[in-house]
Amino acid sequence: MFRPTRVIMSAVLPQLKYGYEQLEPAISRQIMELHHSKHHATYVANYNKAFEDIQAAASSSDIKKQIALQAAIKFNGGGHINHSLFWENLAPTANGGGEFPSSGPLADQVKADFGGLDGLKKAVNAAALGIQGSGWAWLGYNPTTKKLEAVSTANQDPLLGYVPLVGIDMWEHAFYLDYKNVKQSYLDAIWTVINWKEAEARLAKA
């Protein structure tokens, strides 16, 4: 009988390290507030509810219900993981957002794998614009090849098999109020608030 591991803890909505308005004009306060306090909070609440339900199903030996709850665990848990990374990916321009390092491990790796920052943006943008429906575009470090790659995941699937350095939310709730259906304009703007210091720290840990 399947029993969920006891080390799984309830998800908690993270506090942002900046104000909702501090990413403007790239991302409006309205989008940030709705995205964090409503969308992400809903993933957290739904994950916690699904986890409680799966514990109850395990206690009652209801295997069928445990199986049925796996989709909710995956979707909402993935939504929580992805968004928690996303908030850390961003920084106000006043705090260095958008400032790509001129030298160091990240700059060297980007030059080796993409030819430079412009090549990186082109590759990640292509992964983002290639998503059919909703999903995420990623700059990930492949520990097998020891290279950076631009990849995408569908819906709220987390990036597995890679170390995520930068993730870009390509769900409409992340950009539609500001950019309508012009995804390229959203992508152009979000690069101006990417937290490259965080990306470099993740690369160092990888």
Side-chain angles (χ1 to χ4, degrees), residues 131-198:
I131 295 170
Q132 295 184 349
S134 299
W136 290 75
W138 302 92
L139 173 65
Y141 176 76
N142 186 326
T144 301
T145 63
K146 302 188 184 305
K147 292 181 178 294
L148 299 178
E149 297 178 22
V151 293
S152 65
T153 56
N155 300 314
Q156 290 297 350
D157 292 356
L159 184 64
L160 302 178
Y162 295 81
V163 177
L165 304 188
V166 174
I168 298 178
D169 190 343
M170 293 303 296
W171 282 67
E172 285 190 346
H173 64 238
F175 62 85
Y176 201 84
L177 289 177
D178 289 345
Y179 299 101
K180 302 299 186 283
N181 64 329
V182 188
K183 296 179 181 179
Q184 184 63 61
S185 294
Y186 165 63
L187 291 167
D188 291 342
I190 203 168
W191 289 115
T192 68
V193 289
I194 291 296
N195 186 347
W196 290 112
K197 290 181 180 179
E198 175 66 22

